[in-house]
Amino acid sequence: MIDSIPIFSGAWPEIHNKGIMRIGNQCSFRSFRLRQSITVQTGAILEIGEGSFFNDGVNICATQSIKIGHHTKVGDMTYIFDTDFHQLSPEREMKNAPIIIGNNVWVGANSMILAGSSIGNNSVIAAGSIVVGEIPPNCLAAGTPAKVIRSLNIPDGWLRQ
């Protein structure tokens, strides 16, 4: 279900939708250098809030559930996967767990948001970071794995441009 036609600049994303995909009003996909890929497996749900932006080469794969909030910005070559795709070892099951990315979040280029991750409203994930757990609201997180670097003072109603 698409509430309104998304804004596409450059190539349209490669979309494989066998589940439910909800894209909010005024979402923007910019792909001049590297095409985006969006996969929603059977029984999975992908929800993208209004006014969100996705840059070149973003790759999203939902096998269970990915929820991206309103006015979230996702940088070049970012990967958002709610699955590990393979087992690490015989005693460890393949991980499939929902991802929640809050409203007004900025995910820097070349980052990865992995299965079971949660990012709070107004937070920033520094470029090249790997999120593997919970990042609270209103903070800057960076690294591998991403850790909180500092709090951010974000006034109510403020949106990143």
Side-chain angles (χ1 to χ4, degrees), residues 63-65 82-86 92-98 115-116:
T63 62
Q64 195 174 74
S65 172
D82 71 355
T83 182
D84 287 347
F85 292 105
H86 308 284
R92 184 177 178 270
E93 291 294 318
M94 181 174 66
K95 185 174 184 179
N96 293 301

Side-chain angles (χ1 to χ4, degrees), residues 88-157:
L88 180 63
S89 63
E91 65 278 353
R92 184 177 178 270
E93 291 294 318
M94 181 174 66
K95 185 174 184 179
N96 293 301
I99 291 175
I100 299 172
I101 301 173
N103 299 322
N104 198 36
V105 169
W106 177 15
V107 179
N110 298 305
S111 293
M112 295 178 80
I113 314 300
L114 300 180
S117 295
S118 174
I119 302 171
N121 294 339
N122 304 312
S123 286
V124 174
I125 306 302
S129 296
I130 299 177
V131 178
V132 294
E134 184 175 341
I135 303 298
N138 303 310
C139 68
L140 169 64
T144 304
K147 303 261 189 250
V148 174
I149 303 299
R150 65 180 171 99
S151 294
L152 301 174
N153 183 14
I154 307 293
D156 288 342

Side-chain angles (χ1 to χ4, degrees), residues 32-54:
F32 288 106
R33 296 165 292 164
L34 300 167
R35 192 171 180 193
Q36 296 129 347
S37 176
I38 300 171
T39 302
V40 184
Q41 298 288 349
T42 302
I45 300 171
L46 171 63
E47 295 181 70
I48 300 173
E50 67 180 50
S52 289
F53 170 81
F54 299 86

